[in-house]
Amino acid sequence: MQHPTRQGLNWAKAQQLASRERAFFAAYHPQSLALSRRADQHLLYGVPLHWMIDWSTPFSLFVDFAKGARFNDVDGHEYVDFCLGDTGAMFGHAPAPVAAAVAAQTARGFTTMLPSEDAAIVGELLAERFGLPFWQFAMTATDANRFVIRWARAITGRSKILVFNGCYHGTVDDVFVDLVAGRPVQRGSLLGQAYDLTQHTVVVEFNDLAGLEAALQQGDVACVLAEPALTNIGMVLPDSDFWQTAQALIRQYGALLVIDETHTISTGPSGYSQAHGLSPDLFVLGKPIGGGIPCAVYGFTAEVAGRMRQAKHDAPPGHSGIGTTLTANMLAMAAIRANLEYVMTADAYQHMFNLAERLAAGLCNAIASTGVPWCVTQVGARTEFQFAPTAPRNGTEADAILDSELEHVLHLYLLNRGVLITPFHNMMLVCPDTTVADVDRLVEHFTACVNELI
């Protein structure tokens, strides 16, 4: 029986193409191969983090340097980068203002467990840009989400959180619950989990207002932790009335709304929330806020801040379980300040929007010309092609059209022609340094690949 994502494709040709592309990669990357073998002696799976083996390549591609919209590997090949660190480098690799600020700060100290002047200025910049008056910091969005969950439970006295099926909030344990045939199931791939997450995590489908209300009616949900659009199971956009009604329900039943914009900051300088009228109680932003330097932020309303202060006042002295020693270090503060002041500008976003629209249009034309039943979804500077004629409306539908084998064929074909996209599903980002020629090059090779598959 044919896989539903492979309609219109000749799968025998696809497998031949995959073999050809793997052989090509192996022949043209001898230095990466040598480094892979060397790293394999002391790094688990031969990579710093085990998921780095999830790319389409037969062995790891090692990077020499990265700047702007490009990077070079250790064999001297140059690539146009549409992955951009899966949003970590959404504003390009080593943006000049951030690089200069970090370089200057390195001569003045890295970390002290004390605030710098930049911290005060960053707080002002964040409040002005995102409309929330109070802020705290973390090293990653994972940590920020973990801290926010802890705060939400502390100030509401409720133990449960609610997430949407197929969501992405980093590696926070609490969110690894899926809906399988309508029932919550702890994700089997989660290693070392010692207790049942479904006892404290509620999961419903995205765009399911009835399911959301039914869950909230129980009165035990501390917060709804959500991306405004799903982004890591393949993009899933909200229905036109979803967030307006969802926000009203969340407030009606006494839960807090936490919006994680680590990926959807692609929507605009102030994120999806500002662009589409969302009013979160708490707001999380990770990877891109420091221009690629590890850091994250979370903001909250004055009302929430008051409840936080009261919860901290009422608790016994000691560690709150919130924050790490390196959080808000001076390097991170310098990077965030420079990125907010000079890189995440309206002009930069407009450039990115124009290119993303060109990319989406080019992909749509290629899909139409080849006749494959695929579609294209876009959120600002973030674009994705999906293996279905219409975009999915929830995580279950999005999961059903994932096809890692097909993705790997396409991704490796592009990589061998100097174009990198994300290693999972089919996400592409443009940055302020991306050019029209870069976009057209991606579309050209995408079209050629699909033509080889049909």
Side-chain angles (χ1 to χ4, degrees), residues 274-333:
Q274 290 279 319
H276 294 276
L278 276 67
S279 300
D281 299 294
L282 300 104
F283 174 99
V284 171
L285 181 55
K287 302 173 185 177
I289 190 64
I293 296 296
C295 52
V297 300
Y298 59 100
F300 36 94
T301 64
E303 191 269 339
V304 168
R307 296 171 72 180
M308 286 176 166
R309 289 190 181 101
Q310 189 63 51
K312 180 64 177 149
H313 176 271
D314 294 343
H319 202 298
S320 66
I322 296 169
T324 59
T325 306
L326 291 175
T327 294
N329 65 76
M330 292 187 290
L331 284 179
M333 293 298 101

Side-chain angles (χ1 to χ4, degrees), residues 95-110 115-123 125 137 289-295 328-343:
V98 176
V102 170
Q105 186 61 52
T106 59
R108 304 175 61 216
F110 299 172
S116 62
E117 180 185 18
D118 283 339
I121 295 170
V122 165
L125 292 170
F137 299 87
I289 190 64
I293 296 296
C295 52
N329 65 76
M330 292 187 290
L331 284 179
M333 293 298 101
I336 296 173
R337 177 181 175 180
N339 204 46
L340 288 170
E341 288 183 330
Y342 303 112
V343 181

